[in-house]
Amino acid sequence: MQRLGIVDLGSGTARLVVYAYEPGRHFRLIDEIRETVRLGEGLGTQNRLTKGGMQRALSALRLYADFAQATDLDELRVVATSASRDAENGPEFLQEVRKLGLQVRVLSGEEEARYGVLAVANSFPLEEAWVMDLGGGSAQLSSMESRLYRWGRAYPLGAVRLTEMFLQNDPPKKGEVEELERFVRKEMKDVLEQLREHPRPLVAMGGTVRNLAKLAQRRRGYPLDLLHGYFLSRSELEELMELLLARSAEQRRRLEGLQADRADVIIAGALVYRTLLREAGLEGLYVSGQGLREGVFYEAFLPPPHLLSDVRGFFVRNLFARYPQDHGHTARVRHFCRLLFRLLKPLHGYQEEERLLDEAALLHDIGMSIGYYDHHKHGEYLVMSQAIPGLTHREQALLGLLVRYHRKGEPKPGAYKPLLQEGDTKRLLRLAAILRISEYLERSRAGRVEGLEVEIGTQQVRLTLLAQEEPWVELAETAKQDKLFQAAFERELQLAWRPLE
């Protein structure tokens, strides 16, 4: 495993993330340090970095350099964005950075946009999208086509910059808001026409949109604490703007879901998004939990063109790779799940659900890495503890529930019900029944059952286990799942054994 540290020196914040990874195979985030530096302070009124902003940034970078040395990182990559790029005295600041022993790479607006697109291409199941990254000093809007960056532009629409330029009162006055919105429309005039002419999903990244999504989730009682993949609707954003514009910065700091150090600049960033959605006629946007830092990481993790072949499959396997398990047992449970799914298809009629069931079979025992007792609950927690890119929140909830009910209990949506669609309760029940029976067909973990035969009658399903010797444990334990099977398929489950010829 290699350990790579990436420092993103932005106009508002500086953040160090550390990844442990095996190139092209799997990775995990193992550390993070975030500092509010406001390096872009003053760029809205003058084109120079302030002494205070530079000192805060240098202090954060000194911290990161010391951390990298103390933890013996294999590599540290430092990238800087619009504040370092645009300021007249940017070269003087960078000279001070190099005195710390750090080699900093100042990204052009296009490079910044390319990394944002790379992050989206590797964390969403999308072929085409508009990608927006709004930071403290600038915003990049890019076109992703066939999962590749096609073109993009940087705009002077960062949250810190716009706050200094237009929002002098707290809370802002109506005239200030209108003037900021006019500026956004003027700066983005050409690209707004493109958005209207070429409708496709808008994916947004950065601290502003993540905080807006958190606020929206808290207000609606969203059942998941996951941001990546969340759809922030235009109506939600309009409601948030009313809330934010009616409060002072001090009052905004007390809002649940909003980082305190963003309370003074959140309005400017939110107004950019509101203007964009209104003018482009979009119903909302998707929130990305990945961005510039992840784009830089994928460049190191994957060979050119730095794209995962299957986003969803990779991240499910990536989760599996993090927790030690009995791989032989897992493989046999997956085999039985696939076999039963196909043999019982006349009863359930599903097709695409086979992939979800297979993912649940792969992950069903990850909770064993915590402990045997309640490992089904531990597994659900591990599945739901962070976003799994490529899965919608509904699919991830179903996956977590399947892991939760793979060994006992009556499968119910519980707190995840608001995320589910019509028919999902029955879908959960049927898939959980298949997974649980597959688990108990492998109860001894010895691979004794080598095949299955299924006969579907009007009142019962006869399941015959093919094995060299009578698999008493598997027969006895699987028989206990008759009640669950009947609830799922309206048939009695009958079990039999036939020796292999």
Side-chain angles (χ1 to χ4, degrees):
M1 296 287 284
Q2 300 179 38
R3 291 181 304 124
L4 169 65
I6 299 170
V7 174
D8 172 10
L9 178 59
S11 300
T13 62
R15 193 187 305 256
L16 165 69
V17 293
V18 181
Y19 290 100
Y21 70 100
E22 186 176 343
R25 298 193 63 184
H26 57 86
F27 72 88
R28 61 191 177 100
L29 178 70
I30 61 172
D31 218 327
E32 179 183 65
I33 306 177
R34 177 184 180 274
E35 295 290 319
T36 302
V37 295
R38 292 289 168 87
L39 178 61
E41 177 183 76
L43 287 179
T45 54
Q46 59 181 0
N47 197 29
R48 294 183 62 81
L49 303 176
T50 66
K51 183 177 180 180
M54 289 190 290
Q55 287 301 320
R56 288 190 295 272
L58 290 170
S59 177
L61 292 172
R62 188 176 294 110
L63 167 67
Y64 299 155
D66 184 61
F67 179 90
Q69 184 177 15
T71 57
D72 197 24
L73 291 182
D74 295 302
E75 184 182 359
L76 181 66
R77 298 187 182 186
V78 183
V79 294
T81 55
S82 64
S84 303
R85 179 173 67 234
D86 298 340
E88 291 178 356
N89 58 342
E92 300 170 25
F93 167 67
L94 294 173
Q95 190 174 2
E96 294 299 313
V97 173
R98 294 185 184 101
K99 290 179 181 179
L100 299 175
L102 297 174
Q103 295 301 313
V104 59
R105 178 184 168 198
V106 180
L107 301 179
S108 67
E110 181 173 332
E111 287 175 321
E112 198 173 344
R114 282 181 180 274
Y115 281 127
V117 168
L118 188 58
V120 169
N122 283 321
S123 61
F124 281 86
L126 298 172
E127 290 291 322
E128 296 188 346
W130 296 106
V131 178
M132 188 163 186
D133 184 357
L134 190 151
S138 66
Q140 288 76 39
L141 185 68
S142 309
S143 174
M144 183 178 82
E145 302 169 31
S146 300
R147 300 183 67 208
L148 296 173
Y149 172 89
R150 292 305 181 190
W151 59 266
R153 281 189 57 191
Y155 301 88
L157 300 176
V160 175
R161 188 191 297 260
L162 291 179
T163 299
E164 293 179 350
M165 290 175 65
F166 296 104
L167 307 183
Q168 306 303 317
N169 290 279
D170 186 26
K173 292 183 177 180
K174 182 179 180 181
E176 295 174 333
V177 171
E178 292 174 346
E179 188 178 0
L180 188 155
E181 291 175 323
R182 281 194 296 271
F183 182 75
V184 174
R185 288 193 293 270
K186 176 184 175 183
E187 289 291 323
M188 304 191 77
K189 180 180 178 180
D190 293 341
V191 78
L192 287 172
E193 293 178 5
Q194 293 270 358
L195 265 67
R196 288 189 288 265
E197 292 173 3
H198 304 283
R200 63 183 71 153
L202 172 63
V203 181
M205 59 186 62
T208 292
V209 76
R210 289 196 301 270
N211 273 254
L212 291 171
K214 283 183 183 179
L215 284 170
Q217 288 181 344
R218 298 296 190 275
R219 285 174 59 78
R220 63 180 284 193
Y222 197 66
L224 298 185
D225 189 23
L226 300 176
L227 291 175
H228 185 84
Y230 180 75
F231 186 75
L232 179 64
S233 69
R234 192 165 100 192
S235 60
E236 283 181 305
L237 185 55
E238 295 282 4
E239 292 176 5
L240 287 176
M241 288 310 310
E242 291 184 18
L243 175 75
L244 295 170
L245 287 169
R247 286 166 167 76
S248 66
E250 185 57 38
Q251 292 170 325
R252 293 194 294 272
R253 286 189 182 92
R254 295 195 289 270
L255 291 173
E256 186 179 1
L258 179 61
Q259 284 179 317
D261 60 9
R262 293 189 186 274
D264 58 337
V265 298
I266 190 73
I267 286 178
L271 286 171
V272 175
Y273 282 117
R274 187 177 75 170
T275 303
L276 184 65
L277 294 181
R278 283 178 173 180
E279 296 297 318
L282 297 173
E283 293 302 313
L285 56 83
Y286 289 95
V287 178
S288 174
Q290 299 196 13
L292 171 64
R293 294 177 295 277
E294 287 75 16
V296 173
F297 170 73
Y298 288 127
E299 191 175 59
F301 179 65
L302 298 167
H306 314 298
L307 292 176
L308 297 168
S309 59
D310 174 11
V311 171
R312 174 173 173 168
F314 171 81
F315 279 100
V316 170
R317 293 191 301 273
N318 194 55
L319 179 60
F320 175 79
R322 292 170 56 182
Y323 302 102
Q325 299 164 63
D326 181 342
H327 287 208
H329 168 74
T330 299
R332 290 187 288 272
V333 171
R334 290 179 73 188
H335 170 69
F336 288 140
C337 276
R338 288 191 290 263
L339 190 56
L340 282 174
F341 183 89
R342 294 164 190 173
L343 292 172
L344 294 173
K345 193 169 184 178
L347 296 181
H348 59 68
Y350 299 144
Q351 184 145 345
E352 295 180 357
E353 289 83 351
E354 184 174 3
R355 182 171 191 180
L356 181 66
L357 178 62
D358 184 61
E359 291 163 343
L362 177 67
L363 300 175
H364 78 279
D365 266 350
I366 62 173
M368 292 279 280
S369 61
I370 296 176
Y372 173 77
Y373 292 112
D374 286 338
H375 72 263
H376 55 300
K377 296 180 182 178
H378 302 323
E380 178 196 7
Y381 167 76
L382 293 175
V383 169
M384 302 305 299
S385 62
Q386 61 184 10
I388 302 177
L391 290 172
T392 66
H393 287 188
R394 166 187 167 266
E395 290 168 335
Q396 189 165 343
L398 285 170
L399 180 59
L401 287 167
L402 288 172
V403 172
R404 166 68 176 81
Y405 291 110
H406 83 270
R407 61 190 293 261
K408 64 180 181 179
E410 180 183 353
K412 295 179 179 179
Y416 304 131
K417 188 174 183 179
L419 298 171
L420 303 187
Q421 299 174 357
E422 183 178 356
D424 276 348
T425 299
K426 192 69 168 180
R427 188 172 285 105
L428 169 66
L429 183 62
R430 288 173 170 174
L431 296 181
I434 293 175
L435 176 58
R436 192 180 300 178
I437 287 172
S438 298
E439 167 78 344
Y440 285 108
L441 288 172
E442 235 292 286
R443 186 64 183 87
S444 65
R445 295 177 174 252
R448 296 196 298 175
V449 177
E450 298 183 45
L452 300 172
E453 292 178 350
V454 168
E455 299 174 50
I456 300 176
T458 57
Q459 301 294 324
Q460 69 279 325
V461 170
R462 182 179 178 86
L463 178 61
T464 302
L465 283 57
L466 307 179
Q468 297 287 349
E469 298 179 353
E470 184 175 16
W472 175 253
V473 172
E474 285 73 17
L475 285 166
E477 292 293 288
T478 304
K480 297 176 183 178
Q481 307 311 315
D482 175 59
K483 182 178 178 182
L484 175 64
F485 188 88
Q486 287 195 54
F489 297 105
E490 294 84 39
R491 303 282 198 288
E492 179 186 352
L493 178 65
Q494 294 184 347
L495 293 172
W497 162 63
R498 182 167 67 82
L500 285 171
E501 298 177 358

